[in-house]
Amino acid sequence: MEGKTPVDNGDEQEAAERRRERRKLIGQLLIDWSPVLAGVANLVVQHLSR
């Protein structure tokens, strides 16, 4: 592997776990904020359709 530092298996597993947790957090934030985002999108559409 040219240009890459060797990574042991434990570090790879920790990185994968952090990625899963980050994806889960982002998904939860999108779900929590979806009504707000829908309202903003609705206002933008109403404003542009005038």
Side-chain angles (χ1 to χ4, degrees):
M1 291 190 305
E2 207 172 293
K4 292 185 178 183
T5 57
V7 178
D8 66 21
N9 210 14
D11 288 345
E12 282 184 30
Q13 288 177 350
E14 288 177 22
E17 181 65 28
R18 284 194 301 272
R19 283 193 299 272
R20 278 192 294 272
E21 288 179 14
R22 192 177 312 125
R23 271 191 222 114
K24 187 176 170 184
L25 177 63
I26 291 170
Q28 189 61 47
L29 283 173
L30 287 175
I31 290 169
D32 291 345
W33 281 90
S34 62
V36 174
L37 295 174
V40 169
N42 191 19
L43 288 173
V44 169
V45 168
Q46 287 179 359
H47 180 73
L48 292 177
S49 65
R50 289 183 185 181

